[in-house]
Amino acid sequence: MQCYQPKQGAGATEEEPQSIEAVYKIPGQVAGILERSCYDCHSNTTDYPWYSYVQPVGWWLERHISEGKEELNFSTFGTYSKRRQASKLESVAGQVKAGSMPPESYALLHRDARLTEEEVQVLTQWVQALQDSLSVE
């Protein structure tokens, strides 16, 4: 079982041309929140922990990350239509406000990923401002 390892995506070493950071201006505090709490599952910069090499945990983790990227990938955010970007941002704000993102299973092992009330407020205000700018364009 340990001999077969799932293919783990190579983390991007530089900003991708269609990443959210390349397409939109992101304040430093928001960028920090996204990197710390979202990017492991929702970007091409996943930092695979040591336990991702232990099966069957690695298989479950890789499936979870693949599903997360399929749902929302900040590394390819610029390739989405404006309508899809606005929809994804609305979903981000709703899930963060509801406390379902980051998921408890992730936050349990990555305590620094947990969002404070202030961080939830900062993130949702930024999302709202970005959504507003998308509707103007």
Side-chain angles (χ1 to χ4, degrees):
M1 189 183 316
Q2 298 307 315
C3 294
Y4 175 77
Q5 297 291 321
K7 180 182 177 204
Q8 296 181 345
T13 56
E14 56 187 59
E15 188 176 284
E16 296 182 40
Q18 292 298 322
S19 70
I20 195 167
E21 299 93 348
V23 178
Y24 298 109
K25 181 172 174 37
I26 301 179
Q29 187 177 11
V30 172
I33 293 168
L34 293 175
E35 288 171 15
R36 188 183 77 243
S37 301
C38 308
Y39 281 8
D40 272 351
C41 296
H42 295 286
S43 80
N44 295 338
T45 59
T46 303
D47 182 19
Y48 288 90
W50 66 267
Y51 54 83
S52 67
Y53 298 97
V54 178
Q55 305 316 326
V57 174
W59 297 330
W60 175 84
L61 191 61
E62 187 58 31
R63 190 174 122 240
H64 180 81
I65 291 168
S66 293
E67 289 171 357
K69 288 180 187 179
E70 188 175 309
E71 184 61 35
L72 170 64
N73 189 336
F74 287 112
S75 295
T76 59
F77 195 80
T79 64
Y80 300 169
S81 69
K82 298 293 182 194
R83 183 177 184 177
R84 185 171 182 209
Q85 288 178 6
S87 173
K88 293 298 181 184
L89 290 169
E90 185 175 337
S91 180
V92 165
Q95 291 183 44
V96 165
K97 282 181 189 175
S100 59
M101 282 291 159
E104 190 59 35
S105 60
Y106 181 77
L108 195 63
L109 294 172
H110 302 89
R111 297 212 179 268
D112 61 330
R114 295 175 192 266
L115 300 176
T116 65
E117 286 300 317
E118 178 188 346
E119 290 171 327
V120 168
Q121 188 81 9
V122 166
L123 192 57
T124 55
Q125 286 175 351
W126 172 76
V127 163
Q128 185 61 57
L130 186 52
Q131 280 183 298
D132 291 346
S133 75
L134 289 173
S135 63
V136 171
E137 294 177 6

